[in-house]
Each structure stands twice: as structure tokens, then as C-alpha cells.
């Protein structure tokens, strides 16, 4: 397996640091628009794991927005798989470039949506991933696999959903992805500061898009941003966090392979962060339309959202000043295999202090990058195989979760996952899973 | 009386429209940095009250930041009084220019404060008005009066405080200025929008400065912004509004002439507005330090606070789209003249629909401009007189309140004020005031 990694930003960099510990691949071509960034990632691998390990990596320059350039870099290096680790707006070009070069393909976010032209907050328009699924036949014909949405959320969440459907439930009422964290960033003096662990620009985009929901009787539909707020209690000390509906890939992926009455995604932004986003929206500071502003060199035109992003700490720099954990998982309700009502939360927690120490990577990007590495290993060993455009829930979840949780000493990734039964039931009826 | 009005912004414009109905003055010279703005104000007076009324007004160009220019315009037009209606940062220059020209002087906000260099949130540094009171002897020597803080707050609030001290209380525990409103601004579609009725730039400045409090035993001291939140119930349908400590002139003025154990100012910003200001502060968007921001014409440097101001509707344009009332007043607690505990709220309410209809002026600026007109009339008739630098509470409140509340038909301003007794007391002990 020869992997063309497109993008050496936060997630791409963490991907390289994780896969460097594995032996299933022959080569990773680390490519970036900025060649220096790709080289820095390989230098970090060399520093951490030695030159021999780093010798399996090659740096390359790429333009992710140009499918021809993606294809030519893939061909030049004999890539068998293209791993997309750039912003979602580049999905169509990287996806097309991979197919043109005859490669298999993985990404961690799907092609972007476009709101319904007249009823944006009730009807879907172009949905997340629609542009990719439209080309499924081309991938099948080419005998290649595009495994889409294979990060942590989407990704691991979809694997959990498949596991629940196969092993825990006879009938599913809701597949509810729930993401929450208790991350805190401090300034030099130790005071807590407002510093999102991901791009505020992208977060605004994600949170202000009409959230999408799936219901079996109704199909996909949209709601108002921040709708259906709920307090979800996250495990391992994170505790209760306010979650709201946010547009996310799981809602588009899961119903294609799994049977559930309802599929939702709620993001544990927390009350404070939701308040901040709502205030920015209310004041028009989320706008990407430039406004005229006085400056020392006369009037200039700037987009308020760019000013908000420029005023906050760069998310790439906050890892060392951050503490806490982030949790990704799926809350499943319905009827258990024994016919009794069941409610479980399947989850994986990532601790920033641990990921910084072990991988020199911030926990949110580390947790995202871990899952495509595992998926690639399953594809390399043949444990997973498929053709066309498929989501993670199209594959058997058990080998994935087994490989993830097995210790490094026994060939796994040493990353246990958890399951909480959330209905109090008589001990005699407890599920042995 | 020949009045040089410095500034034809919102308050200056309303001042001209109010004084145009009165006969006590000989001439008003409406001056502005932008001569066209001064001319527009006079044209508005002509349109409303006829050419004869407007003939008592003259337009002039002025630079409020240049004391020599202020003095020369005052001399050129034979001004007897300089009415300062520009931003507080110009107080020192207008104040100095008026004295140099041998004029009397009025303003509606005092010279600015500077925080304590090391203990900004516990100790005062340079206080509001300090730079003006430091020159009191010069004004006395010149035989001229500087009546400072003579708008609505400070201004009418100080008049109410003096009235309470003279007529309602034998001992005052607290003189608490409380300002609140239920103003709502709607967009073209009728939807409520976030649109402050005053400059967000100035409001941020005012609200993030350390609030100042006076206590008889302790003198003046400062606290954290937004400290001591309280829900104050405003009259005439406005209802309960969350108020917080804000730095304001009353706290510096009242203790100089009136005996009270505590003097405070709380601004009824309301929970939403306080939340907005706190969020802007938390995100650094209140900052006046330019940040580097991408733009279509390359990177530019802009102050986030300027971007916030540019993103919101111009307060000068929202009057016609605004409904509701604003209330200014003083909440006084202590011992009544009968020796029993007493608690009263003395107030004046201004209704935006009425001020727009009657004066084509938004209620907040109209209410501010009303009071210096009344004060000038009292000075013109000799009902008020004084030398040096004096606050409104240095003068007898009764003639002011009588002139304000008397009907226009009987020579007054037709603006009643109100008083609420807030302690439930036996009917037999009710105060006849």
C-alpha cells in the first residue's frame, strides 16, 4: 500500500505521526500546497521514531484544488490510496484526482451541502456527500473504493452505529451521534481563555448551516441552527454538556446502510460557545460579506468573520496550553437483542495531555487522524474490502474495534473504547456484550 | 443670551429642535466640524417652525479639538454661553476655548477618566471631571460658570438627587442613578434586530472602564465591569431590567454637594446587551489594537472594535424603526423627613414614538438634549446663577422641575416627571410630596 496523504495541516500531521508506528504500508507521500509543511511533518516523524521510520515517507508539493495535479502526483509516486486531509471544500477535486489516477480514496469529511433555495430550514438542498454518491457507479466500474467520512465523526461514530445494529439491538429508534469535551485553554498566566480547538471560521460555517435530521417516515429534513438543545452526560469525567443539532455527515451516511427510525447529530458546543456563536450571528460578525471599516491607512473592506478568526488564538498553537478530554460516540436507543428496551452510549475518549505527550498532537486532530489509519490497515490486510462509494458503516465494525482496542504489544492501537448502558435494568437481564 | 452650540450630531440636532420652541435666547450658533451638518439642523428647524424661528440660528464651522478655534468662533459670534454637544474626548478643548473667550459653559459629559495604573479595579486613577474641577478657580476668577454634566444622566438625575435631599429625606443612605429602557428596533420585515440606540464604540468604552462607586467612609473606589447586577423595576410599562455598575458622572458629582452614605450608577443594559459586551470582550473584539486580517486587496490592519461598529446599524438611522421608552432617574433610600424609612424613585420617561413625531428626534438623544435647554432658560431668567465649575446639584432643583413639568401653554416644557414611593407604609404615614 502506497498512500498519498493530501494535506499536512493538523490532521495530516497527526496521521503521519500515528501511521509511522505501523508496518502495514510501504510508503506515505506527504503532500501539501506548502512543501515546507510536508517536510516539517516528516522531520517530526524522524525526530520521534528515527530516520529508518522516516525513510518510508516522501514529501511532495500538491494543489488540492486541481484534480489533474492530484492525479499526476498520485501517478508519479505510484499511490494505491489517496488519503484526503484537507478542508472539505477540496473534496471534489481530490476525489476526482484519485479516481483519475486509478487510486482508492479515503476522506474524513464529505462534499459540501447547499441549502434549499427557498425553504432552507425545513427542506434539504444539496446534501453533504451528494456529489460523491452521484459518482458511485464510476468508482464501481473502475473497481476502486472511496471510503468516505472515515475520521472520528464521521468515521468512528459510524463504526459504533454498525456495531450497535449488528450486536446490540434488534430494532433501533435513534442513532444519535453525540460529541462533547471539557477542553480548557489557558494563557501564560494560567487564566482560562476563549480559544476554540478548531477553526472558528469553519465552526461558524458548520453551526450556521441548517442542521439535517433523518426520520424513516419522512426522509432527510432540516431545522433551525442550534435546534433541540439537550444536556448530554459524557463519560470519563467530562460530564454534562449542552448539545444542539448541527449538520454532519453521520446523518447522511448511517441511513444508507443501517435501519433506524431517526438519525441525528448533536454537537456538545456547550452553553458558552453556543452563546458566542449566536451573539456573533446576531451582530452580523459571522458574515463573509466585506464591510467598510476605518483604518490607519484609510477605509478598508474586510469580512467580519475573518476579523473574528484573526482576533482569536491560532488553533494550531494552543495544544500545549490545553487540558481536558474530548469524547466522540453514538447514543443508541431502541430494543435490545433480548427484546427489552435498551439505551447505550458507545464512545471513545481522547485526552489532550496524553496525545500531546505521546504524539505531539492536539487531541481533537489526533482522534480524527487515528481512525483512517486503522481503516487503511484493515484494507491492507483484507479484513475490510469493498468497491464504490461507501461509508464506514458499510463494513463489519468488529475487526475495526478489535484492532483499535488491542494493545500495541499484541499488534493493536491500544485505544480502548467504552460502552455505557443507560437504562437501569434488572441485573438478570444485563447484556453480556 | 447667545449660545454657541458645538456639535450638530444627534444630541446637538435635538437641542436645536427643542430650543427653537423657546424665546429666552437671542441666538444659537450651530457649529460642527462638518458645516453641512450644522446647516442641515437649521434647515430642519426652518422646516418645522418656519423661517422666522430659524432666523435666530446661524451655522458655523468649528474644530472642537482646537481650543483656539472654539474661542475664535465664540468671539466672532459674541457668544455668552458655549454648549458642548460633542464626544467627551473633546471636553478639555471646548472647556478651555469657552473660558478663553470669556463665555459660560455647559456640557453633558465630563472630562474622561484614566484607570489607576496598578489597581484599576479597586482604586480610582484620574476620575471623570477631575481635569475640569482642577480649573474651578480659574472660572471663579473669570466670573464665569461652567455647569458640567447637565444632560439627562448626568443632569436631570443630579437635579432629582438634590430635590430628594432638600424635600424628601432627612438622611440619605444611597443615591442610586438607575437608567433603563424597553427600546426595540426592527428591520424592514418587522423582525427585532440588535441595534443599540447609541454608539457601540462609546458604550464599550463606558462599560469596560472600571465602574466607580462612592461611599462616605471610603471615598471613591472602583470595581470590576458589570459588577453588582440587580434587577430594577422601571415604571410606565418598562418593567424589570438587569442593571450593572457603570462608570458615570453622577457618582463623581453628587458627593460634592449632597450628603449620602453611598452613591452609585447602574445602567439597565439588560441581560442580552451585557452578554453581548462580555462576549465581545472575551473574544477580544472590543480591542482598539489593530489586528492583521486578510482582505481581497491583501492583508490589512483593522481594530476589531471598529469592525463591530461597522457591522451594526448606524444609531443615527434607527429612530424611525425603534419603539419603546427610555427612563432616567434616581433611586433614593434613607430616612424621610418624618423620621421613617423611605425609598423613592424619581424619574422621567421618554417615548420614542412621541419624540420622533413631535421633534423628529430619537428618544435617547432628545431626553439628553432637553435638560441643558431648561438649564439655560433658568440661567437666562436668573432663577439659577453661579460661578466656577458646578454640577446640576449645586442649584435649587425646584425651579428646574417646575419649569420642566409645567405645560407649554403656561410657559413650561410640558414634560412631567414621576415619583414612586417604594416602601409599603401605613396610609397615615404617606408623604404628601
Amino acid at each position: 500500500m502506497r498512500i498519498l496523504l493530501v494535506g499536512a495541516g493538523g490532521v495530516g500531521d497527526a496521521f503521519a505521526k500515528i501511521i509511522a508506528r505501523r508496518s502495514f504500508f510501504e510508503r506515505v507521500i506527504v503532500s501539501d500546497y506548502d512543501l515546507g509543511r510536508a517536510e516539517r511533518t516528516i522531520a517530526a516523524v524522524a525526530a520521534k521514531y528515527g530516520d529508518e521510520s522516516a525513510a518510508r515517507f516522501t514529501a511532495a508539493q500538491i494543489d488540492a484544488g486541481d484534480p489533474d495535479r492530484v492525479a499526476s502526483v498520485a501517478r508519479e509516486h505510484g499511490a494505491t490510496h489517496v488519503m484526503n486531509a484537507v478542508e472539505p471544500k477540496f473534496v471534489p477535486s481530490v476525489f476526482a484526482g484519485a479516481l483519475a489516477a486509478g487510486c482508492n480514496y479515503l476522506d474524513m469529511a464529505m462534499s459540501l451541502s447547499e441549502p434549499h433555495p427557498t425553504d432552507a430550514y425545513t427542506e434539504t438542498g444539496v446534501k453533504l456527500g451528494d456529489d460523491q454518491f452521484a459518482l458511485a457507479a464510476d468508482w464501481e466500474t473502475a473497481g476502486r473504493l472511496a471510503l468516505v467520512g472515515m475520521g472520528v465523526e464521521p468515521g468512528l461514530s459510524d463504526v459504533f452505529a454498525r456495531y450497535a445494529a449488528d450486536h446490540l439491538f434488534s430494532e433501533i429508534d435513534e442513532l444519535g451521534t453525540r460529541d462533547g469535551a471539557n477542553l480548557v485553554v489557558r494563557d501564560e498566566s494560567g487564566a482560562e481563555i476563549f480559544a476554540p480547538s478548531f477553526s472558528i471560521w469553519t465552526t461558524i460555517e458548520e453551526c450556521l448551516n441548517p442542521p439535517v435530521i433523518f426520520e424513516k417516515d419522512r426522509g432527510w429534513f432540516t431545522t433551525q441552527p442550534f435546534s433541540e438543545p439537550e444536556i448530554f452526560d459524557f463519560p470519563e469525567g467530562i460530564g454534562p454538556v449542552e448539545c444542539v443539532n448541527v449538520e454532519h455527515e453521520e446523518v447522511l451516511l448511517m441511513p444508507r446502510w443501517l435501519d433506524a427510525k431517526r438519525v441525528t447529530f448533536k454537537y456538545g458546543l456547550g452553553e458558552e460557545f453556543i452563546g458566542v456563536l449566536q451573539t456573533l450571528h446576531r451582530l452580523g460578525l459571522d458574515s463573509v460579506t466585506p464591510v467598510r471599516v476605518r483604518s490607519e491607512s484609510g477605509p478598508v473592506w474586510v469580512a467580519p468573520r475573518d476579523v473574528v478568526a484573526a482576533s482569536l488564538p491560532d488553533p494550531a498553537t494552543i495544544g500545549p496550553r490545553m487540558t481536558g478530554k474530548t469524547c466522540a460516540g453514538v447514543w443508541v436507543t431502541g430494543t435490545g437483542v433480548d427484546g427489552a428496551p435498551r439505551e447505550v452510549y458507545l464512545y471513545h475518549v481522547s485526552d489532550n495531555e496524553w496525545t500531546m505527550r505521546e504524539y505531539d498532537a492536539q487531541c481533537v486532530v489526533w482522534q480524527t487522524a487515528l481512525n483512517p489509519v486503522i481503516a487503511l490497515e484493515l484494507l491492507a490486510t483484507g479484513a475490510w474490502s469493498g468497491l464504490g462509494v461507501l461509508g464506514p458503516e458499510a463494513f463489519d465494525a468488529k475487526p475495526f474495534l478489535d484492532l483499535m482496542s488491542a494493545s500495541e504489544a499484541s499488534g493493536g492501537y491500544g485505544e480502548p473504547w467504552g460502552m455505557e448502558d443507560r437504562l437501569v435494568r434488572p441485573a438478570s437481564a444485563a447484556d453480556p456484550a
Side-chain angles (χ1 to χ4, degrees), chain A:
Chain A
M1 180 178 282
R2 298 174 65 88
I3 303 159
L4 170 60
L5 172 66
V6 183
V11 177
D13 183 73
F15 176 94
K17 289 167 177 167
I18 295 166
I19 204 169
R21 296 201 190 186
R22 312 301 297 182
S23 57
F24 67 85
F25 68 99
E26 185 188 337
R27 178 154 298 278
V28 174
I29 302 97
V30 182
S31 70
D32 199 281
Y33 189 79
D34 173 2
L35 179 63
R37 201 149 72 149
E39 290 170 339
R40 266 202 304 283
T41 287
I42 298 175
V45 168
K48 197 158 185 75
Y49 302 112
D51 289 341
E52 199 178 331
S53 195
R56 297 185 298 159
F57 292 79
T58 312
Q61 199 277 340
I62 204 162
D63 179 352
D66 178 356
D68 294 338
R69 178 83 183 125
V70 172
S72 71
V73 176
R75 283 195 200 97
E76 182 188 337
H77 293 275
T80 57
H81 292 72
V82 171
M83 176 73 232
N84 182 354
V86 286
E87 287 173 55
K89 70 174 171 184
F90 296 115
V91 161
S93 47
V94 180
F95 187 69
L99 182 62
C103 296
N104 298 288
Y105 168 91
L106 289 85
D107 63 31
M108 294 168 281
M110 285 153 56
S111 58
L112 293 173
S113 64
E114 282 170 37
H116 189 279
T118 56
D119 298 297
Y121 300 109
T122 51
E123 308 289 327
T124 57
V126 176
K127 302 187 297 301
L128 288 172
D130 275 1
D131 296 345
Q132 292 178 283
F133 284 113
L135 299 174
D138 295 349
W139 286 82
E140 283 163 30
T141 306
R144 292 291 178 272
L145 168 68
L147 172 46
V148 296
M150 192 59 249
V152 59
E153 282 176 341
L156 181 55
S157 47
D158 302 78
V159 172
F160 284 140
R162 169 70 183 261
Y163 182 83
D166 284 357
H167 302 283
L168 306 176
F169 286 81
S170 60
E171 190 177 359
I172 291 176
D173 291 334
E174 179 165 348
L175 291 169
T177 307
R178 297 292 183 271
D179 177 303
N182 64 353
L183 299 170
V184 168
V185 181
R186 295 178 194 281
D187 66 13
E188 295 69 16
S189 75
E192 207 174 305
I193 59 171
F194 185 82
S197 54
F198 28 79
S199 154
I200 187 83
W201 208 103
T202 306
T203 306
I204 290 173
E205 185 75 16
E206 196 168 73
C207 293
L208 297 180
N209 275 346
V212 60
I213 293 176
F214 175 84
E215 287 180 3
K216 204 170 175 179
D217 302 340
R218 192 173 164 189
W220 285 293
F221 62 95
T222 57
T223 70
Q224 291 288 332
F226 309 115
S227 58
E228 300 181 9
E230 87 187 19
I231 305 292
F232 192 83
D233 198 9
F234 288 92
E236 298 196 17
I238 295 174
V241 180
E242 182 167 348
C243 297
V244 291
N245 283 322
V246 166
E247 181 194 51
H248 229 254
E249 285 86 345
E250 286 89 334
V251 179
L252 289 315
L253 287 171
M254 292 177 185
R256 291 175 191 265
W257 287 279
L258 306 176
D259 188 24
K261 292 183 190 146
R262 196 166 204 260
V263 183
T264 58
F265 178 95
K266 290 190 183 177
Y267 204 171
L269 294 166
E271 219 176 329
E272 186 200 5
F273 200 81
I274 292 170
V276 165
L277 291 174
Q278 287 176 321
T279 297
L280 293 175
H281 185 52
R282 193 147 170 69
L283 273 61
L285 295 173
D286 57 334
S287 171
V288 294
T289 306
V291 294
R292 188 173 190 265
V293 182
R294 64 181 174 191
S295 83
E296 282 184 16
S297 48
V300 296
W301 291 85
V302 291
R305 194 190 292 182
D306 288 333
V307 178
V308 173
S311 298
L312 291 174
D314 181 350
T317 67
I318 59 171
R321 292 185 281 145
M322 189 161 78
T323 56
K325 297 172 177 175
T326 184
C327 177
V330 181
W331 178 46
V332 191
T333 61
T335 308
V337 289
D338 60 358
R342 191 164 195 194
E343 179 181 331
V344 299
Y345 184 59
L346 302 164
Y347 65 89
H348 176 256
V349 167
S350 176
D351 180 319
N352 190 68
E353 284 175 285
W354 185 86
T355 63
M356 285 301 299
R357 193 171 62 238
E358 279 284 316
Y359 285 92
D360 207 16
Q362 189 238 73
C363 64
V364 176
V365 299
W366 183 85
Q367 195 187 33
T368 303
L370 170 68
N371 297 285
V373 177
I374 298 172
L376 282 162
E377 182 154 349
L378 293 172
L379 293 170
T381 62
W384 276 13
S385 63
L387 295 183
V389 179
L390 302 176
E393 52 281 273
F395 300 85
D396 187 2
K398 200 150 187 327
F400 187 103
L401 295 175
D402 287 348
L403 182 60
M404 182 170 89
S405 59
S407 69
E408 288 195 80
S410 59
Y413 285 75
E415 278 296 308
W417 53 283
M419 179 169 92
E420 281 185 356
D421 259 292
R422 295 209 167 185
L423 280 186
V424 179
R425 303 161 64 204
S428 61
D431 192 289

